[in-house]
Amino acid sequence: MANHKSAIKRNKQSKIRNARNVHARSTMRTLVKKVREAVAAREKDQAVGALSEVVPYIDKCASKGIIHKATASRKISRLSKLVNTLD
């Protein structure tokens, strides 16, 4: 356990940040799932709408360091490619 005042504070901050990151990552995964489900159901309008919702969220997660920027780019690319198969 932390003995110094600064170490106690860092521990508290770490827990708060971890909870925030877990929430953001979970939300991102849910939004990605919405896109995949819409594509599986062959609903182009819903898939495009869900994609336009998830892309900025993935970028936001990458800019905050929750996921790596290359991972974000790869996810966006694959989802875009998936939605474009619905033509």
Side-chain angles (χ1 to χ4, degrees):
M1 189 60 201
N3 293 322
H4 298 284
K5 197 173 185 178
S6 61
I8 291 168
K9 181 178 178 179
R10 295 296 292 174
N11 199 20
K12 275 191 218 172
Q13 288 175 332
S14 177
K15 286 179 182 175
I16 291 167
R17 289 180 181 144
N18 179 258
R20 190 182 305 134
N21 290 344
V22 166
H23 176 264
R25 193 177 296 114
S26 174
T27 303
M28 180 189 66
R29 287 177 178 156
T30 303
L31 293 172
V32 167
K33 195 169 153 186
K34 274 187 188 177
V35 174
R36 293 190 187 280
E37 286 173 351
V39 170
R42 309 292 292 167
E43 296 173 353
K44 186 171 172 74
D45 293 338
Q46 278 189 340
V48 170
L51 182 68
S52 65
E53 189 180 352
V54 75
V55 168
Y57 201 86
I58 292 173
D59 282 334
K60 187 175 174 185
C61 287
S63 70
K64 292 184 182 294
I66 296 167
I67 59 172
H68 195 272
K69 64 182 183 179
T71 304
S73 181
R74 186 176 64 247
K75 281 184 181 294
I76 291 169
S77 175
R78 287 179 179 172
L79 287 172
S80 299
K81 205 162 128 182
L82 186 66
V83 170
N84 286 335
T85 62
L86 291 177
D87 290 332

